Amino acid sequence: AIPELVAGAGHVVPMRDPTAIASALEELSDPATRRHWSELARERIRDGWTLDASAREIVAFHDRLSD
């Protein structure tokens, strides 16, 4: 799910909520925030996303759909 993918390296905003979208975009205007979120995202990819782990997740998702 998207919130788990973002997990501290950004914001998930409600659909059709211009105030929330504006707030998130305003936060993104800060270079330090963008840099911090980028570093978090890179660490997450480096430390937790392997081909084997991704394949296991896809198989588990498929199995749930097949049940």
Side-chain angles (χ1 to χ4, degrees):
I2 299 299
E4 288 81 15
L5 290 174
V6 173
H11 288 298
V12 176
V13 296
M15 289 176 33
R16 298 182 185 92
D17 185 341
T19 303
I21 294 169
S23 177
L25 289 173
E26 184 176 339
E27 192 167 357
L28 278 172
S29 70
D30 176 36
T33 298
R34 289 193 311 270
R35 192 169 25 262
H36 176 68
W37 285 353
S38 295
E39 290 168 2
L40 289 175
R42 271 194 293 284
E43 287 173 11
R44 186 175 312 115
I45 296 296
R46 184 191 66 227
D47 296 342
W49 287 49
T50 65
L51 183 56
D52 288 340
S54 296
R56 281 192 301 274
E57 289 180 24
I58 291 169
V59 169
F61 178 72
H62 181 268
D63 290 346
R64 286 192 304 273
L65 291 177
S66 299
D67 290 341

